[in-house]
Amino acid sequence: MKMINTLALTALLGFSSLVATEYTVDNTHSDIGFKVRHMMVASVRGTFKDYTGHYDYNPQTKQIKSLEGTVKIASIFTDDKKRDDHLRSKDFFDAKKYPDMTLKLIKHNGDKALIELTIKGITKQIEFDVDYLSGESKDPWGAIKTGFELNGKISRKAYNILFNKILETGGVAVGDEVKINLELEGVKVVNTK
């Protein structure tokens, strides 16, 4: 009987190490960024300042089991108020009609993640590269943290973001391809039950 109990306990401990743990995205140590070609000569970079998210992650296997997030479009920031207001307008994101951008993990396999990304009410599945999957570490105040980075790219036209201007040289003012960079640091959710 003792042998059976020992095997059951060993199996349970082994199973528990495979179970993912929930983390809440720490906004003060995370970044939701993007980059797009401007005037065909350089790139404009921007971020979103207001967002929430959570993910389930196993630091031993470095496997992301789930990830969900919501980004407030009105919080877009490119360090130029006039441009930011234009990006919020109907020409681009139409933030009043579509206030949120959402993302949800479909699957994670090694260094690739398939993410369901919704912008302006349009949902597409986008492949992201996964980088910097960390183990757990404890901050000086006792919170347990993990982190990782996701990099992908989208066609803004696929999300009905069509505004552009033709340049005298024959090019366009804004590129179609948008590179997305998510640097996420999460705080382990403590179960108080």
Side-chain angles (χ1 to χ4, degrees):
M1 186 68 172
K2 186 175 179 183
M3 177 76 159
I4 293 172
N5 287 340
T6 303
L7 288 172
L9 181 59
T10 303
L12 181 61
L13 290 173
F15 176 73
S16 67
S17 71
L18 299 175
V19 174
T21 302
E22 185 177 0
Y23 300 83
T24 300
V25 173
D26 178 356
N27 295 47
T28 59
H29 297 102
S30 298
D31 188 68
I32 309 295
F34 64 90
K35 176 168 84 165
V36 64
R37 280 310 248 187
H38 178 249
M39 304 292 289
M40 303 193 65
V41 294
S43 293
V44 169
R45 289 171 171 79
T47 60
F48 291 92
K49 300 294 187 179
D50 185 4
Y51 53 89
T52 58
H54 59 90
Y55 58 91
D56 288 348
Y57 173 60
N58 185 322
Q60 282 81 37
T61 63
K62 297 194 173 178
Q63 187 69 25
I64 306 165
K65 296 294 183 183
S66 70
L67 167 65
E68 291 189 33
T70 300
V71 177
K72 296 296 182 185
I73 295 295
S75 73
I76 197 167
F77 178 77
T78 65
D79 204 20
D80 183 304
K81 185 181 184 314
K82 187 175 178 182
R83 178 171 55 216
D84 293 348
D85 288 342
H86 193 198
L87 289 170
R88 293 180 189 109
S89 77
K90 290 180 181 179
D91 282 345
F92 287 93
F93 284 103
D94 198 357
K96 286 185 179 177
K97 186 173 181 181
Y98 304 101
D100 297 333
M101 171 171 54
T102 63
L103 57 93
K104 181 178 180 180
L105 179 73
I106 302 300
K107 66 178 176 180
H108 171 221
N109 186 10
D111 61 354
K112 301 291 180 187
L114 189 63
I115 303 280
E116 187 177 86
L117 182 64
T118 302
I119 303 171
K120 292 184 75 173
I122 298 168
T123 301
K124 303 278 184 187
Q125 291 187 357
I126 309 296
E127 186 176 77
F128 281 77
D129 293 324
V130 183
D131 203 0
Y132 302 127
L133 285 165
S134 72
E136 287 185 328
S137 63
K138 187 182 285 189
D139 73 13
W141 300 273
I144 305 298
K145 301 209 170 174
T146 61
F148 56 92
E149 184 175 352
L150 298 171
N151 290 287
K153 55 189 174 184
I154 63 168
S155 159
R156 65 186 183 90
K157 290 176 185 173
Y159 288 96
N160 202 27
I161 302 174
L162 306 174
F163 179 85
N164 224 329
K165 294 278 187 184
I166 304 297
L167 305 175
E168 288 181 20
T169 55
V172 291
V174 184
D176 177 47
E177 182 181 274
V178 181
K179 294 180 180 177
I180 300 172
N181 171 253
L182 310 175
E183 295 188 39
L184 303 178
E185 181 174 305
V187 181
K188 187 173 184 177
V189 175
V190 178
N191 191 346
T192 55
K193 290 181 183 178

